[in-house]
Amino acid sequence: MTTDQRSTRVIGYLCALGAGATWGTTGPLSTGLYSLMPATSIGFWRVLIGTVALVIWGVLFRRDLFRADRRAWLLVGLGGGAMVALFEIAYQFAIGGVGVAGAAALLYTAPVIVAVLARVILKEALTPTRVALAILVMIGVALTVTGGSNAGAEAARMGVTVGVAGGLLSALSYALTSLMGRYAAPRYGAVKVLFLEAVGGVLLIWIGLAIWGRPPAVPPSAAAWRSLFGLAAGSVIAANILFFGAMKRIEAAPASVAATIEPVVGAVLALLLFGQRLTGLGWIGLLMVVSGVAAGYLLEGLKKPLDPEVEEAARPA
């Protein structure tokens, strides 16, 4: 391996770590917004701001971003948008109900769900190793959720049951988006898939909240706007740019492994900023989740190279 190749790989790993760390700010920044605006509105503004940024980028640098056939709009815009809408609302309830670490742990059951659904839908093998890693992850999730602390009015109002339900729904939407990405990303490109999902997600979140009688609230203060722009700039724009940069330099499996730093970063920030503590068993559980998911990615990468286009589009906006 030449010096240039080694430098390229180091940059790739740093980009993947940066993406995971940036995704890890989603929970803490959302928690800081709960005292300023409804949890149901945060996901809407997060995706809307990110979508506007993608539109500006497309106008300036990539006009073909806006060209898509009817099948793309139906599958990715409508179907993927529905998964984005579900993810954004459900994940806010997860953070509010079980705290940042618990929500992240529940979200990371998504690879387990993907393995099960891939067995049912795509007839992929569910090997003993996959089953063992799935059990490891699920035990880790249980320890993290029961070993965590989520003080505050939002937690008291929502409760653990709502938080767990929100976390599992966010994981389900993440998993379904991953399966859709296996079909759509190689055909339309990861960035276009991200854009179509975001557009559909914004519209469906607005429609869903309006039907629910809770239309998105306008951010009430400069502080709320700053937090929302930070949330969108980090967890939507910067995280995807960094992850795309990683995928151009290293294989999909190690990039995905490096990005699993996300729940650890979220838990540490929640501890420092909001006093959301984990017990010793809670930290062990979180490490079990990260280890199980990372091992799964590594084994997949050893078995066969993961498709970078699929992996890039695997996470909801």
Side-chain angles (χ1 to χ4, degrees):
M1 182 183 294
T2 67
T3 302
D4 287 344
Q5 289 174 327
R6 189 177 295 109
S7 298
T8 297
R9 291 190 67 81
V10 169
I11 293 171
Y13 279 110
L14 290 175
C15 285
L17 288 169
T22 309
W23 273 320
T25 65
T26 303
L29 285 174
S30 297
T31 301
L33 277 163
Y34 290 152
S35 62
L36 301 175
M37 59 190 301
T40 51
S41 299
I42 295 171
F44 170 81
W45 288 102
R46 173 181 177 269
V47 179
L48 177 59
I49 294 169
T51 304
V52 171
L54 277 172
V55 169
I56 294 172
W57 177 78
V59 169
L60 294 176
F61 303 109
R62 189 168 169 178
R63 296 293 181 88
D64 69 308
L65 186 68
F66 309 111
R67 291 194 290 271
D69 57 30
R70 182 181 301 176
R71 176 177 291 183
W73 278 109
L74 287 175
L75 174 67
V76 185
L78 184 60
M83 293 303 99
V84 169
L86 176 61
F87 176 86
E88 292 299 333
I89 300 301
Y91 198 50
Q92 293 300 326
F93 278 92
I95 296 167
V98 295
V100 174
L106 285 161
L107 176 62
Y108 269 61
T109 61
V112 176
I113 298 174
V114 169
V116 173
L117 291 179
R119 175 72 182 97
V120 174
I121 299 172
L122 304 177
K123 307 304 180 185
E124 293 184 3
L126 192 59
T127 64
T129 302
R130 281 184 171 182
V131 172
L133 290 174
I135 293 171
L136 178 69
V137 170
M138 299 308 291
I139 293 173
V141 169
L143 290 175
T144 305
V145 172
T146 57
S149 169
N150 184 21
E154 200 70 19
R157 183 175 68 81
M158 290 186 179
V160 173
T161 301
V162 172
V164 170
L168 291 175
L169 283 173
S170 65
L172 177 62
S173 65
Y174 190 164
L176 291 173
T177 302
S178 298
L179 291 175
M180 184 200 68
R182 294 185 182 183
Y183 173 85
R187 289 166 172 79
Y188 305 114
V191 178
K192 184 173 291 188
V193 168
L194 179 66
F195 172 70
L196 294 176
E197 284 179 344
V199 171
V202 167
L203 293 174
L204 290 173
I205 291 172
W206 185 83
I207 291 171
L209 291 179
I211 293 173
W212 192 9
R214 300 185 183 183
V218 176
S221 64
W225 278 110
R226 284 195 299 270
S227 295
L228 285 168
F229 273 106
L231 187 60
S235 61
V236 178
I237 301 169
N240 279 291
I241 289 174
L242 287 167
F243 199 65
F244 289 179
M247 302 298 286
K248 288 177 172 62
R249 293 171 174 87
I250 59 177
E251 296 82 3
S256 298
V257 170
T260 57
I261 194 176
E262 174 189 353
V264 178
V265 170
V268 171
L269 288 176
L271 170 63
L272 295 176
L273 297 175
F274 304 105
Q276 292 187 9
R277 301 181 179 278
L278 285 173
T279 64
L281 283 177
W283 280 110
I284 291 172
L286 189 61
L287 291 176
M288 288 172 66
V289 172
V290 173
S291 299
V293 173
Y297 284 135
L298 280 174
L299 290 173
E300 289 296 316
L302 290 172
K303 185 178 67 174
K304 61 179 180 179
L306 298 177
D307 187 340
E309 286 286 319
V310 172
E311 291 302 307
E312 285 177 2
R315 185 186 178 96

